[in-house]
Amino acid sequence: MSNKSNYEYLLSDLTKLKGVGTKTTNLLKKKKINNIFDLLWKLPKSYTDRSHSTKIKDLKIGENQTITIIPQKYSFPRVRNLPNKVSCTDETGEIDCIFFNSYEGYVRKILPLKKEITISGKIGFFRNKYQLTNPKYISEDSSLIKQKHNTYSLTEGISEKIYNKIINQIIKNLPTLNEWHSENILDKFGNIKWNDAIVELHKPENIGNYKKNFYQRLAFDEIFSTFLVNSEIRKKIKKIKKKSKVVDKAKQNKILKKLEFTLTKDQLKTLEEINNDLSSTNKMFRLLQGDVGSGKTIVSLLAAYNAINSGFQVAFMAPTEILARQHFNLAKKLFSNQINIQLISGKSEYKTKKEILKKLADNNIDIIFGTHAIFQKKVFFKNLGLIVIDEQHKFGVNQRKRLSDKGGKDCDVLLMTATPIPRTLTMTLYGDMDLSIIREKPKSRKPIKTYSKLESKIDDVIKFIKKEIKSGNQIFWVCPLIEESKKLDHSSAVKKFEYLNKIFPNQVSLLHGKTDLEEKEIILDNFLKKKFQILVSTTIIEVGIDFPNANVIIIENANKFGLSQLHQLRGRVGRGDKDSTCILMFKSNLSKNAKKRINTLKESADGFYISEEDMKIRGFGDILGFKQSGIKNFKLADPIHNSDLFLLAEKEIRRIELDNTDISKYKPLIKLYDRADIINDIA
Ligand code: ADP
Ligand code: MG
């Protein structure tokens, strides 16, 4: 038996449970249920109430019913395919229990003659007699049968009965944990204790009682533990002492004067926040968040420039080579002869690479641009002071933490993402970092005109494109996303390419999931150089690349995309100073709801607002593929319905940070709910 006050019981292996062997354990492991705690979130979907018993004469055919009977006679035919049979009675009538594919010994054991047995199951009727076929609920102890039996969504190979048995067992042995929450928080949930809440959660009559205090408390525990871990990571990183950098404002302003535009208020504000971090003696771990086209690059390049002028090297990492090259070119243009700028490419020759590595180690390169290749083992910097990472919203907390360790203690870290997220998710996804947000877009930016169009009207679209090409513009054509099959995705893109190529010979290129990396870079580069006019692609073009000359995007089968995704796709155009257009194509007329959704896009260019609307419609797991980022999926909490709990948790975290509360009392919570590798670091 478990030590009742010890949470370790909950983390122990499944084999610790009675009646669970390696077979069941392995089946559960396949479902990512690895320990007893994981099983706590296996919740009943519905239940069958077997608690009321009837007499045989009152049985209703076709219904699940419970009766207490006495087995009177066995019949074990020696003929294959004929079932074993046990005739049973109560004082009001007769019923046969029928067993297909059963052993005689088993039948004798579960239905011993002349004993009172309680059975439950769906009642049948055959040859003028009631019968129960392969009854599963049989016991001499009627209390085991006469209860509510939960139904679960079943894992292959594990029956409902086993689930009932093991989950009941866990509930019975739940340890009483010391309360971790403050009184103020507990008060909000009617002071219900964690283990009482778990008990309530598993009561079948509580299925769907999302508003009840037990549910809210448990949902809060989940949210709070995530926030707490994030907050601890942030605190820990900020405690790291580093050599402060001296920001040379005069030099910075000289560059600002060289720009063709003036920075927006938000760009200036975020640059200031970053500069403050650079000049502080605490390590920076900051996320620069801003919608597509909000102008993050220039902010990060200025920060890099400041770090360099303070005597440090900078590593600037982009998700693709073409984006790395784009940033590299911009840096050369801005900083010309004042600093040493280098691009490292996967394609660079061995000799060139070796030279670059040597220069990095000798401090003869001030800033290097590249993909993740910059962080390979062989790369050493003499004096790395800042890492900038562009477009990496898909990095999870763990990956980010590893990165922040990478540069050594004097190295600041700045991440950038063009993926606005709903307010309630900020702490969930990015709570481990300080946040700088660019909300306002450059004033010169014209709104992207957004239209919807039926696919049958494709000729109108073609006419429009012809006109655009004549005026020297370029077009993205995004092919339908076919969720069911990558193959279909691919073939529809190929077909579209062939179709457009007939109309616009030699002006179309195709990009799809099977295009190899090198070819892809060439195609994108050619598009950038205006060597062709229409780029047909599946959804693989990354955000971030600046194609100032592309100002039309066609998105087919637009109803397959979420709003945020459409907004991201749309953000690939409208970066220059020309008017730009986004055409959303649909197979059939839009439903009223779909129209409403699309209107959000037509009316707003604010990615933050759109992400909120998107989440309301699609739920949070889905938005922008956050599922892939390895962020924790909540089991009970829901950012839409529990937004109040997210805000409450955020408030509580701020209080803990401000009061410098000792967090050791939260240790069981963190150990139970969160990722072990992070905990080892902080607990
Ligand atoms: P993102 O935030 O998506 O990374 P970029 O940094 O690529 O955006 O900027 C998009 C375009 O906007 C670039 O061509 C850039 O030169 C331009 N830009 C940046 N800041 C401003 C500004 N304040 N005014 C006008 N254009 C700007
Ligand atoms: Mg960018």
Side-chain angles (χ1 to χ4, degrees):
M1 188 61 36
S2 62
N3 173 354
K4 278 268 180 182
S5 68
N6 196 343
Y7 63 86
E8 297 287 348
Y9 167 72
L10 294 168
L11 293 175
S12 42
D13 208 73
L14 294 165
T15 44
K16 190 153 191 185
L17 294 168
K18 251 184 260 152
V20 176
T22 27
K23 192 181 140 229
T24 312
T25 307
N26 288 338
L27 287 168
L28 287 169
K29 278 193 174 154
K30 272 193 204 148
K31 297 272 158 179
K32 294 204 170 120
I33 298 177
N34 291 312
N35 57 29
I36 294 180
F37 181 78
D38 292 341
L39 263 172
L40 288 178
W41 315 103
K42 182 81 189 172
L43 299 181
K45 286 201 119 62
S46 63
Y47 63 94
T48 312
D49 190 351
R50 302 185 192 274
S51 51
H52 307 288
S53 62
T54 9
K55 295 292 173 199
I56 292 178
K57 75 171 169 46
D58 298 324
L59 284 175
K60 290 196 186 87
I61 296 161
E63 281 181 22
N64 263 308
Q65 292 182 59
T66 305
I67 40 178
T68 300
I69 44 92
I70 297 174
Q72 302 292 356
K73 196 179 137 240
Y74 299 126
S75 132
F76 297 119
R78 303 295 167 197
V79 184
R80 267 187 71 196
N81 296 332
L82 275 190
N84 292 327
K85 186 168 90 179
V86 187
S87 313
C88 310
T89 58
D90 71 359
E91 63 278 18
T92 71
E94 284 177 40
I95 186 166
D96 286 344
C97 291
I98 308 290
F99 296 87
F100 286 92
N101 303 318
S102 59
Y103 294 106
E104 188 180 321
Y106 166 76
V107 174
R108 284 181 191 277
K109 193 175 144 213
I110 57 163
L111 286 174
L113 295 182
K114 311 292 178 194
K115 282 246 171 87
E116 213 168 71
I117 310 283
T118 301
I119 60 177
S120 186
K122 206 185 222 176
I123 305 297
F125 198 71
F126 187 67
R127 297 216 173 119
N128 251 345
K129 219 172 174 188
Y130 291 113
Q131 71 173 28
L132 248 176
T133 308
N134 292 337
K136 282 199 218 86
Y137 295 90
I138 305 181
S139 179
E140 281 184 59
D141 179 355
S142 65
S143 71
L144 288 183
I145 304 296
K146 291 174 152 185
Q147 44 173 276
K148 286 168 179 157
H149 293 265
N150 295 341
T151 44
Y152 296 89
S153 61
L154 293 182
T155 314
E156 209 180 320
I158 303 178
S159 70
E160 216 157 271
K161 210 169 142 191
I162 294 183
Y163 269 127
N164 271 289
K165 207 164 120 190
I166 56 185
I167 289 173
N168 281 337
Q169 193 185 139
I170 295 170
I171 303 277
K172 256 193 211 135
N173 292 321
L174 275 185
T176 313
L177 305 176
N178 291 331
E179 183 54 61
W180 41 71
H181 286 307
S182 62
E183 274 173 32
N184 170 42
I185 291 293
L186 271 188
D187 198 46
K188 299 236 180 341
F189 305 109
N191 293 304
I192 190 164
K193 289 194 180 350
W194 181 84
N195 45 341
D196 291 336
I198 293 282
V199 173
E200 291 300 313
L201 182 69
H202 283 270
K203 284 188 181 161
E205 57 270 33
N206 272 333
I207 292 169
N209 272 341
Y210 307 128
K211 290 282 161 214
K212 285 272 176 66
N213 63 335
F214 71 88
Y215 200 99
Q216 299 270 310
R217 188 225 146 112
L218 292 172
F220 183 80
D221 279 335
E222 267 190 301
I223 302 164
F224 179 78
S225 73
T226 305
F227 287 15
L228 186 63
V229 168
N230 284 346
S231 151
E232 283 306 303
I233 295 174
R234 199 166 97 238
K235 271 197 272 186
K236 203 180 160 206
I237 291 173
K238 286 186 90 165
K239 268 195 206 130
I240 301 172
K241 290 285 168 203
K242 67 154 201 248
K243 255 188 257 161
S244 65
K245 299 180 174 76
V246 184
V247 173
D248 187 332
K249 283 273 167 69
K251 279 191 175 164
Q252 176 187 291
N253 291 340
K254 259 194 198 153
I255 302 289
L256 283 177
K257 275 200 197 113
K258 266 171 73 175
L259 296 176
E260 294 147 5
F261 46 78
T262 50
L263 293 193
T264 63
K265 247 197 272 140
D266 280 355
Q267 282 174 313
L268 287 170
K269 188 192 75 188
T270 49
L271 178 59
E272 198 55 34
E273 286 166 356
I274 297 164
N275 280 341
N276 285 341
D277 281 358
L278 295 176
S279 347
S280 108
T281 51
N282 299 108
K283 191 176 167 103
M284 169 168 80
F285 194 41
R286 187 173 282 278
L287 178 72
L288 177 56
Q289 196 188 6
D291 212 345
V292 271
S294 59
K296 294 181 293 295
T297 319
I298 183 66
V299 173
S300 65
L301 284 177
L302 285 165
Y305 186 64
N306 292 335
I308 292 163
N309 287 330
S310 188
F312 288 89
Q313 290 173 292
V314 176
F316 200 118
M317 180 170 124
T320 58
E321 295 228 6
I322 182 160
L323 198 51
R325 189 162 337 115
Q326 193 158 34
H327 293 334
F328 166 69
N329 288 334
L330 182 59
K332 273 201 304 197
K333 200 170 110 192
L334 286 177
F335 309 133
S336 56
N337 303 320
Q338 307 162 49
I339 59 175
N340 296 315
I341 306 169
Q342 189 59 253
L343 174 74
I344 188 166
S345 151
K347 280 171 285 184
S348 312
E349 278 172 35
Y350 177 75
K351 214 180 111 202
T352 326
K353 263 188 201 154
K354 225 172 129 189
E355 261 166 40
I356 294 176
L357 292 184
K358 182 158 188 316
K359 279 189 184 168
L360 278 176
D362 294 346
N363 207 0
N364 285 327
I365 291 174
D366 295 316
I367 181 166
I368 184 150
F369 293 87
T371 60
H372 56 274
I374 307 184
F375 289 116
Q376 273 160 8
K377 278 200 193 106
K378 280 177 285 178
V379 185
F380 295 103
F381 294 83
K382 172 89 179 198
N383 195 17
L384 187 61
L386 173 65
I387 300 176
V388 182
I389 300 158
D390 193 16
E391 297 299 354
Q392 287 299 359
H393 68 278
K394 282 181 181 166
F395 271 14
V397 174
N398 281 330
Q399 276 165 301
R400 289 198 294 261
K401 187 161 176 313
R402 249 176 271 137
L403 256 170
S404 84
D405 297 340
K406 194 119 195 176
K409 78 175 190 20
D410 283 330
C411 184
D412 289 311
V413 179
L414 178 66
L415 288 104
M416 296 195 281
T417 169
T419 310
I421 52 166
R423 168 86 176 82
T424 46
L425 290 182
T426 311
M427 282 279 279
T428 314
L429 293 168
Y430 301 136
D432 57 326
M433 292 175 282
D434 286 320
L435 214 56
S436 288
I437 303 183
I438 304 181
R439 284 183 188 281
E440 158 202 37
K441 295 209 185 117
K443 285 196 187 59
S444 59
R445 196 109 327 144
K446 289 181 183 161
I448 303 167
K449 281 186 223 132
T450 304
Y451 304 100
S452 36
K453 198 101 198 155
L454 275 178
E455 246 164 56
S456 52
K457 299 271 168 66
I458 194 165
D459 289 346
D460 295 353
V461 178
I462 298 290
K463 230 187 263 161
F464 174 73
I465 289 181
K466 277 186 180 152
K467 215 178 68 203
E468 290 294 313
I469 291 183
K470 236 185 213 148
S471 17
N473 296 328
Q474 287 174 295
I475 288 109
F476 286 110
W477 190 298
V478 180
C479 285
L481 176 73
I482 300 167
E483 280 156 345
E484 307 85 57
S485 149
K486 278 210 168 115
K487 228 178 178 170
L488 287 177
D489 247 6
H490 176 245
S491 76
S492 81
V494 172
K495 267 194 203 131
K496 189 59 60 177
F497 166 74
E498 284 164 357
Y499 167 82
L500 288 169
N501 200 39
K502 261 184 214 144
I503 307 174
F504 304 97
N506 302 321
Q507 299 183 9
V508 195
S509 268
L510 171 65
L511 263 192
H512 52 68
K514 289 181 187 160
T515 315
D516 75 42
L517 215 65
E518 209 167 310
E519 200 187 332
K520 183 174 145 190
E521 302 265 343
I522 294 170
I523 292 175
L524 289 178
D525 208 38
N526 284 341
F527 193 51
L528 205 56
K529 290 178 181 148
K530 298 196 216 173
K531 290 194 179 157
F532 62 93
Q533 278 61 49
I534 305 174
L535 180 60
V536 178
S537 80
T538 52
T539 53
I540 57 168
I541 328 169
E542 288 78 11
V543 286
I545 306 172
D546 211 8
F547 294 100
N549 199 52
N551 67 340
V552 177
I553 185 163
I554 318 284
I555 304 171
E556 280 193 68
N557 225 4
N559 55 318
K560 288 273 179 183
F561 297 98
L563 292 186
S564 290
Q565 215 177 352
L566 288 174
H567 174 68
Q568 290 272 321
L569 288 170
R570 177 172 67 174
R572 281 173 201 161
V573 300
R575 288 172 165 238
D577 40 20
K578 285 184 267 190
D579 277 337
S580 38
T581 310
C582 169
I583 301 177
L584 305 169
M585 299 198 50
F586 296 90
K587 275 196 186 332
S588 52
N589 280 320
L590 292 176
S591 70
K592 215 167 138 193
N593 245 344
K595 252 186 209 150
K596 225 167 107 190
R597 246 163 52 95
I598 296 304
N599 277 339
T600 312
L601 269 183
K602 289 186 183 174
E603 283 156 16
S604 173
D606 176 352
F608 288 93
Y609 169 74
I610 290 169
S611 77
E612 298 275 352
E613 294 302 300
D614 195 29
M615 185 170 81
K616 278 185 212 154
I617 297 162
R618 306 210 307 158
F620 115 98
D622 258 7
I623 60 167
L624 286 166
F626 274 119
K627 268 184 194 149
Q628 308 154 16
S629 69
I631 63 151
K632 210 171 67 130
N633 268 323
F634 293 115
K635 291 174 174 99
L636 306 182
D638 177 324
I640 304 163
H641 297 108
N642 304 126
S643 61
D644 53 334
L645 298 180
F646 281 78
L647 297 181
L648 180 64
E650 189 173 335
K651 216 165 123 194
E652 180 71 353
I653 294 291
R654 298 281 174 241
R655 184 192 67 75
I656 290 170
E657 285 176 358
L658 221 71
D659 298 358
N660 227 344
T661 308
D662 173 19
I663 67 146
S664 55
K665 67 173 177 161
Y666 295 111
K667 193 170 160 183
L669 172 80
I670 297 177
K671 285 247 179 190
L672 290 174
Y673 281 86
D674 271 281
R675 298 140 291 196
D677 45 341
I678 290 181
I679 296 138
N680 291 338
D681 269 14
I682 58 178

